Amino acid sequence: MTEDEKDRVAGARNAQAAAKAEERRLRAAETLRENLLRRKTQARARRSGAADEAVGVPAAKKDEAP
């Protein structure tokens, strides 16, 4: 394998790693936004005296059937 080929392979790996890192960053940002909105909604409900409409932990829901 020539030096140019090695550089090209390394560049492709770096590009893939950068793309994965960017995807992780975007997913984390979306998760944080959702969490912030949920917390704001809960805080508003507490201030207004309304009951919290959340039922359980969303990640823990396996089946919606009774």
Side-chain angles (χ1 to χ4, degrees), residues 52-58 61:
D52 188 2
E53 296 179 18
V55 178
V57 179
K61 292 182 182 178

Side-chain angles (χ1 to χ4, degrees), residues 17-41:
K20 285 183 181 181
E22 180 66 13
E23 287 176 24
R24 281 192 302 272
R25 188 187 68 78
L26 291 173
R27 278 195 312 267
E30 180 63 27
T31 301
L32 289 171
R33 272 192 296 277
E34 289 172 0
N35 189 22
L36 178 62
L37 290 174
R38 186 172 49 252
R39 287 175 176 264
K40 283 184 174 184
T41 302

